[in-house]
Amino acid sequence: MKAVTWQGRRDVRVEEVPDPRIEEPTDAVIRITSTGLCGSDLHLYEVLTPFMTPGDILGHEPMGVVQEVGPQVPGLQPGDRVVVPFQISCGHCFMCSAGLQTQCETTQVTSEGMGAALFGYTRLYGAVPGAQAEYLRVPQAQYGPIKVPQGPPDDRFVYLSDVLPTAWQAVVYADVPSGGTVAVLGLGPIGDMACRIAQVRGAERVFGVDLVPERLERARRRGVETYDLRGFDDEKELVDAIRDATGGRGPDAVIDAVGTEAHGSAAARLAQQASSMLPRKIGAPLAERFSIDRLAALYTAIDLVRRGGTLSLSGVYGGTADPLPLLTMFDKQIQIRMGQANVRRWTDDILPYLTDEDPLGVDDFATHRLPLSEAPHAYEMFQHKQDGAVKILMRP
């Protein structure tokens, strides 16, 4: 089959690789009909290269049609249309029962001290072959795949794999009071969808911050009060502007949908790039023990949120030596929630919104739809925010 493989920093290729097969009785194999390109994939494209191996298959946002199931997968049969969550979880361990599927005790990558295995996401998360491919082996298929109706286009459901539950969890974790205010930093796919979900869940005012004109315009069209970071001399001016719009107090909650890809700290960026260019035997231990994130978005969120408010972090951070302003965080009595989305915890809540009325705007959420063969171009375009690229779907 054809699949998108990682070959080095900023080097992805579409290659022929062996077809997946049933290996465990709880496996399924699906034929992929749509697969997304995620901002997290860009971390593998550049920042997390010390943890990658040439030939790794990328991607974790698939949907498709079941081709084959193992003998211990009673809920699926060939021909079923399914969305596959980005994390692999069993559904019956303590953590899954607690709604913490990203901490699944059956698939935890204990050798690396990490949580549940993820599709297409470095050896830290199990080095499981990913979903930017023609076919995908799905472990723990007795629980993971989400059956969806035949008929509507893939765009209606494909975001259940990652974008929708990640944005939903970000808003739930933000704990925005009914009629309250929330600021979303970063209007990429997760931030954009978080704004939409905050609105349908009752937030009175949603502020969106970005520096890409197309992203700002998309959010503005849906009633988000947007702030272009390029219009301010520094983050302090931005904070003051949003604070003025909330009676001098700041929003009740702030969602950081940027993570370590923020534009700040040249020193942190240099450290990231240095570790990514070293040989893996040297770069990986360096990144694990001494990695530093670019924390511009997080610092802004801490400054911006009102006293006693909540920060919700959905943007990915990977540093282990990050300096945090604990005095400010303690003094402001800030609550912080974070983590990978627990997909199956939220899908039943989200499905009622995926109707013909389309209140979340999923049907036209993608800005680009490309064949899988154009994956290298898709990565480059998304990395450089070219041609208004906000969300890219690929089809084998």
Side-chain angles (χ1 to χ4, degrees), residues 2-164:
K2 295 187 183 301
V4 180
T5 63
W6 184 92
Q7 298 297 335
R9 183 170 176 261
R10 297 185 182 177
D11 182 3
V12 301
R13 305 174 195 173
V14 179
E15 296 189 324
E16 289 285 342
V17 301
D19 290 350
R21 58 183 178 81
I22 299 292
E23 299 179 16
E24 300 290 341
T26 52
D27 286 351
V29 173
I30 71 164
R31 175 177 58 83
I32 294 172
T33 55
S34 290
T35 185
L37 176 54
C38 178
S40 296
D41 292 323
L42 296 183
H43 296 139
L44 312 182
Y45 193 58
E46 182 169 10
V47 177
L48 296 178
T49 59
F51 306 109
M52 299 294 290
T53 301
D56 283 350
I57 300 174
L58 301 173
H60 58 268
E61 296 187 349
M63 72 173 293
V65 178
V66 176
Q67 297 295 105
E68 186 180 1
V69 296
Q72 294 181 21
V73 185
L76 292 181
Q77 60 184 1
D80 284 342
R81 190 185 192 198
V82 295
V83 179
V84 180
F86 70 87
Q87 83 254 167
I88 302 167
S89 55
C90 71
H92 58 73
C93 70
F94 173 86
M95 289 296 179
C96 286
S97 299
L100 294 169
Q101 289 86 351
T102 56
Q103 312 304 324
C104 175
E105 292 173 322
T106 301
T107 73
Q108 275 181 19
V109 187
T110 54
S111 61
E112 301 289 347
M114 305 300 281
L118 310 179
F119 287 105
Y121 215 78
T122 82
R123 67 168 174 80
L124 295 178
Y125 289 99
V128 181
Q132 289 169 8
E134 293 182 303
Y135 294 90
L136 177 70
R137 171 182 167 252
V138 182
Q140 302 298 324
Q142 82 289 346
Y143 177 68
I146 305 155
K147 287 203 288 189
V148 297
Q150 304 288 345
D154 282 6
D155 293 50
R156 182 72 56 84
F157 302 112
V158 66
Y159 305 114
L160 285 169
S161 59
D162 184 348
V163 173
L164 281 166

Side-chain angles (χ1 to χ4, degrees), residues 20 39 105 119 131 143 160 198 206 215 224 228 237 241 254 257 266 269 276 284 286 319 324 345:
E105 292 173 322
F119 287 105
Y143 177 68
L160 285 169
V206 179
R215 294 181 175 187
V224 176
D228 187 340
E237 280 194 5
V254 176
R269 178 177 176 82
S276 72
L286 176 67
L324 293 175
R345 178 174 181 175

